Amino acid sequence: MQEARLTARDLVAVYFILDGEKRREAIASMPGVERISIDLLIEEAKKDYKYGIPAIALFPVISIEKKDEAGSEALNPEGIIPKALRALKKEIPQLCLISDVALDPFTSHGHDGLIGDNEEILNDATNEVLGKMALVLAQAGVDVVAPSDMMDGRIGHIRKVLDGKNFSHVSILSYAAKYASALYAPFRMVLSSGVKFGNKKTYQMDPANGREALLECALDEQEGADMLMVKPGLLYLDILRRVREQTQLPLAVFMVTGEYSMIMAAAQNGWLDEKKAFYEAHIAFKRAGADFILTYAARKVIAYLKEIESGLENF
Ligand code: PBG
């Protein structure tokens, strides 16, 4: 009688990538998650594939010397992400590779867009750069680009750029309903990408708004998005359900860094059972209507699913 099901094939494992070799850095706010270099990423991705995870998503850790106002490192075809994509495609061609399109890991000010004279975000100028960034990723072998910047009109622009260069087979997963959330705090620590002035509320959504999410999703769908995403996850299950009812597109949810950190912090205090809490979160996403889940807890969930299947866990 169980309605929702969760398997490895529902999960997208998310990684933070470092330059160099054999490098591993722990992340204090995210126990069990590390920043890793490309050689180690390949080992992890092989395991993911073996466990049945169909896709991984990558975020770059960019050193401070490489960041500038315009985020120009985002367009470097020899940058960390293009290098990682080429290596992964060679080693594990069947694994679906997803990469963010946004400038914040690369900008000195931490914003997702280019900045004007009055510290305003330059929406349309940013779209031009995002189109170029998507093309660099496509040329490096990405399967799915995931614009996470929330500029208006970027989906249509990126689609046009990709199609114009014969990359019509590269899909767009739009971070369509992305809220200006306190739960991204660990992410910004991991990437040293905290904003140096202002906040992201002029482009990310107000947590008070629900209808606006439906509008954002409808616009991105019209512009040519192949898949939509709601982010963060647990505090926005109502949005996930409403978007599910509005669209026929595949729908993703992102269980973000802060959601991972909250469960781990409580678990480390002995206040709740980590495995059960992660399982419950992920099955809740499926119940609410998600087709797939971007998560830092993919391996933990899979290990627990195995326990359930084997009868070790009396569920
Ligand atoms: C960048 C981006 C962010 C996240 C994904 N892409 C942070 C932000 O918008 O500030 C957050 C992911 C997470 O916290 O897990 N645009």
Side-chain angles (χ1 to χ4, degrees):
M1 253 85 70
Q2 182 177 333
E3 294 175 27
R5 296 272 165 193
L6 184 62
T7 75
R9 304 208 72 75
D10 300 313
L11 306 178
V12 176
V14 183
Y15 288 100
F16 298 116
I17 316 304
L18 283 171
D19 231 345
E21 266 178 56
K22 296 206 167 46
R23 289 181 67 202
R24 232 179 233 294
E25 287 179 7
I27 298 167
S29 57
M30 299 182 74
V33 176
E34 297 173 313
R35 305 179 188 89
I36 53 174
S37 53
I38 294 172
D39 49 336
L40 303 179
L41 168 68
I42 288 174
E43 297 314 309
E44 296 301 327
K46 280 182 181 164
K47 285 186 211 157
D48 286 337
Y49 187 68
K50 201 182 77 196
Y51 287 134
I53 295 177
I56 63 171
L58 308 177
F59 291 105
V61 180
I62 304 296
S63 59
I64 192 109
E65 320 83 72
K66 289 195 176 149
K67 297 192 185 197
D68 60 22
E69 285 245 313
S72 28
E73 178 64 14
L75 303 184
N76 179 3
E78 297 305 318
I80 302 178
I81 297 293
K83 267 200 281 189
L85 292 169
R86 285 193 292 268
L88 286 162
K89 263 294 154 225
K90 196 161 146 245
E91 296 281 334
I92 323 159
Q94 307 91 329
L95 185 67
C96 174
L97 305 179
I98 304 177
S99 182
D100 251 41
V101 176
L103 296 182
D104 56 313
F106 309 94
T107 53
S108 45
H109 44 72
H111 278 287
D112 295 47
L114 301 174
I115 306 292
D117 294 340
N118 300 311
E119 298 195 340
E120 79 280 24
I121 302 291
L122 301 174
N123 187 93
D124 295 4
T126 301
N127 283 345
E128 291 298 316
V129 184
L130 296 175
K132 291 182 184 152
M133 181 179 178
L135 189 57
V136 169
L137 297 169
Q139 285 162 342
V142 82
D143 296 294
V144 178
V145 289
S148 69
D149 54 287
M150 289 294 278
M151 297 302 123
D152 291 334
R154 89 276 202 220
I155 299 299
H157 180 70
I158 290 170
R159 187 71 273 161
K160 203 174 77 195
V161 170
L162 291 177
D163 289 355
K165 299 281 183 186
N166 290 326
F167 287 109
S168 51
H169 55 283
V170 171
S171 304
I172 300 179
L173 163 59
S174 175
Y175 285 69
K178 175 170 175 178
Y179 284 87
S181 174
L183 297 170
Y184 310 148
F187 179 93
R188 295 177 193 169
M189 286 184 245
V190 174
L191 266 58
S192 306
S193 63
V195 288
K196 299 289 183 300
F197 58 84
N199 57 55
K200 297 195 176 186
K201 290 182 185 169
T202 60
Y203 45 105
Q204 298 181 353
M205 288 177 43
D206 185 338
N209 290 358
R211 290 194 309 269
E212 188 185 5
L214 302 184
L215 188 57
E216 291 280 0
C217 287
L219 286 169
D220 287 1
E221 186 166 344
Q222 278 166 23
E223 288 179 31
D226 299 286
M227 298 162 254
L228 301 174
M229 189 200 295
V230 172
K231 173 187 176 194
L234 291 175
L235 299 184
Y236 299 89
L237 290 179
D238 59 326
I239 306 299
L240 196 56
R241 165 55 58 190
R242 289 167 74 184
V243 175
R244 172 71 295 158
E245 282 162 7
Q246 164 175 293
T247 185
Q248 303 305 320
L249 290 181
L251 181 59
V253 64
F254 199 142
M255 185 180 184
V256 303
T257 51
E259 298 180 82
Y260 179 93
S261 299
M262 288 195 294
I263 290 180
M264 288 304 289
Q268 289 198 328
N269 274 298
W271 295 336
L272 52 71
D273 180 321
E274 169 191 322
K275 291 185 293 188
K276 289 182 180 162
F278 276 121
Y279 171 79
E280 192 172 329
H282 289 69
I283 201 78
F285 295 138
K286 289 296 300 288
R287 189 194 65 236
D291 293 306
F292 58 107
I293 305 160
L294 285 86
T295 175
Y296 301 95
R299 295 284 185 78
K300 291 182 190 296
V301 169
I302 289 171
Y304 189 57
L305 288 172
K306 289 225 165 73
E307 280 183 40
I308 296 174
E309 267 167 40
S310 65
L312 284 175
E313 170 69 31
N314 189 5
F315 202 71

